[in-house]
Amino acid sequence: MSTKAVLITGANGEIGHGLITQLTERNPNLRVVALDVHPVNKELKERCHETIVGDIMDTVMIDRLAAFYDFQSIYHLAAILSTKAEREPVLGHRINVDGTLNLLELAARQSRASGENVKFLFPSSIAAYGLPDVETKMRAGKVKEDEWSSARTMYGINKKYCEDLGRYYNWYYRQTDPQSAAGHVDFRAIRFPGLISAVTLPTGGTSDYGPEMMHFAAQGKEYNCFVPETATLPFMVMVDAINALLQLEAAPAKNLTALVYNIGAFSVTAKEFYDVIKKYFPGAKVNFAPDALRQKIVDSWPADVDDSLAKREWGWKHEYDFHRAFEEYLIPAVKQRYQK
Ligand code: AKB
């Protein structure tokens, strides 16, 4: 008999770190199988049933996992973020799309074999949106899930397409088979805003200027910000992002009418970021030196999102607004991190 477990890909990434901690704190008996191309650190390893250093493109390794485990939920976090995927589009597509397909196939096979649905939690992104220019973006305000859906980056297009793949696996997988299967992939996606963590730094993203500004200031380093002071994006702290994933996972299927949900917390300019950081690190030095190409990506993402559907259907509510996020969560934790 296979062992019941939860699979987390990209376990070593920013969301993975916090998610493994939260999942195992809430349920110490949960068997977490963590997969990443880099080894996870000792502290996380101790929380996991098994950790695997491997590539989501390795179907032999995925087959081995399928033979040993019966996954109830899969959190598929592994991805190449927007700036990196723009520099290496084929690699971005390979990991973000082909990799996701491998994991969806695993979920489909397991759900059909067991007759029980496998929940597939997928972090999509505000990159799935594409606004034509900054004026339209600022006019658009809070965008709804079905608006401005022509993504402009390889990463955004990959995320958007994987949402569609999720819909296919959820509703239509092998629809011409004469007999329908009992179990299916229960696909649930969240379009995350830029995420800010006090304990990890993002790599390869375009919303990275927010968290980078704070981490540089905490280390007494000068920061060259690659967007102008006016650049506006929705952001959220990592604890809220992880709570959202756990909340959506736990939501009864009967309450959900959609497969993809926006969630929001606060929308801020790069200047507002700098101002709040200066409040806690008065010596912080940020030079605004926009990189026109990365700025174009930020300009194509919404300034804010309409998350009323998530609020209505699964009770989404952020805990940290902009000022509380810095005051109570980010600054104390980041100071502790760099004072060590
Ligand atoms: C990125 O900047 O690529 C990510 C995202 C907004 O999904 N942080």
Side-chain angles (χ1 to χ4, degrees), residues 35 58 76 96 110 119 150 156 159 269 317 321 327 339:
L35 170 65
D58 180 353
H76 173 44
N96 294 342
Q110 292 217 315
K119 286 185 190 165
S150 296
K159 287 291 184 189
T269 63
K317 190 173 181 307
D321 62 23
E327 178 80 27
Q339 270 160 15

Side-chain angles (χ1 to χ4, degrees), residues 81-83 124-127 155 192-195 204-208 301:
L81 297 187
S82 53
T83 293
S124 188
S125 163
I126 47 165
Y155 170 74
F192 282 112
L195 300 179
T206 314
S207 62
D208 296 5
W301 293 350

Side-chain angles (χ1 to χ4, degrees), residues 5-9 11 19 23 31-35 50 52 56 61-62 65 69-77 103 106 110 119-121:
V6 165
L7 175 64
I8 302 182
T9 72
L19 181 65
L23 275 172
R31 290 189 200 91
V32 172
V33 176
L35 170 65
E50 184 179 358
I52 300 150
I56 53 171
M61 180 271 299
I62 292 177
L65 283 179
Y69 294 105
D70 195 357
F71 293 116
Q72 297 153 295
S73 299
I74 297 175
Y75 293 85
H76 173 44
L77 311 178
L103 271 304
L106 166 68
Q110 292 217 315
K119 286 185 190 165
F120 195 98
L121 278 296

